[in-house]
Amino acid sequence: MVRRRLRAFLSAFILAAAAAMALPAAAQDMVLVPVRTIYPGETVSADMLQEVPLRRQLRNPAAVERDWRALDGKVARRTLLPGRMIPTGSVREAWIVEPGKPVQVLYVQGGLEIALSAVALQAGAAGDMIRLRNVDSGSVFSGVVMADGTVRITAS
């Protein structure tokens, strides 16, 4: 009787162990860390990063960067230390328009297109609203930076 129970227990234990080994291991979370110090204003590239397994569960998983595409080509806002996780928001888009540099400004409405030169008063990436100064008149106005480096203004 005891042997029968022991045999049943052992067979159940072996089946459970075999089933546990047959299940795929849970995918371990990976995070991106710099391989060297990245200073503010420096462009982040893929060769500056490495993917490492997460050692402990994070309280807020969205607080750190995990995607290469979210970091490659961006500019560091703060110093990123080697081996440390990269907090979300610690990188920004690269500026297309630099302050003090001349830019081409376009006003387009229907078939009307007016182009003028201006000096950027603020830095901006694509989609940012920046302030500009008209080279000829000196008046200050705002416009949206486009991906090609021009600034587009609308009627106000």
Side-chain angles (χ1 to χ4, degrees):
M1 176 86 169
V2 173
R3 284 185 177 207
R4 197 176 294 159
R5 285 185 184 165
L6 182 59
R7 192 175 302 148
F9 172 77
L10 286 176
S11 63
F13 178 77
I14 291 170
L15 286 174
M21 287 190 294
L23 292 175
Q28 189 167 8
D29 287 336
M30 303 295 277
V31 293
L32 295 171
V33 297
V35 294
R36 66 171 184 81
T37 303
I38 301 172
Y39 295 100
E42 191 174 351
T43 302
V44 178
S45 63
D47 63 328
M48 295 178 174
L49 305 170
Q50 76 179 25
E51 199 170 35
V52 297
L54 192 60
R55 288 190 232 156
R56 60 181 165 75
Q57 190 66 24
L58 296 174
R59 289 185 193 163
N60 183 7
V64 296
E65 293 290 350
R66 296 172 185 245
D67 187 14
W68 295 89
R69 295 174 300 237
L71 295 172
D72 193 26
K74 302 284 176 72
V75 176
R77 289 181 190 245
R78 54 175 249 175
T79 303
L80 304 174
L81 299 173
R84 297 278 182 116
M85 292 182 283
I86 301 170
T88 305
S90 60
V91 295
R92 63 169 171 78
E93 291 289 334
W95 288 330
I96 296 173
V97 175
E98 299 283 336
K101 303 284 177 150
V103 294
Q104 186 73 20
V105 179
L106 298 173
Y107 172 78
V108 179
Q109 184 175 9
L112 176 66
E113 184 174 321
I114 300 172
L116 63 108
S117 292
V119 174
L121 299 177
Q122 297 173 310
D128 289 348
M129 177 77 77
I130 63 167
R131 294 173 35 96
L132 305 126
R133 182 181 311 276
N134 185 328
V135 174
D136 298 326
S137 68
S139 63
V140 177
F141 56 94
S142 298
V144 177
V145 178
M146 307 310 282
D148 62 358
T150 63
V151 178
R152 186 150 309 195
I153 57 173
T154 57
S156 53

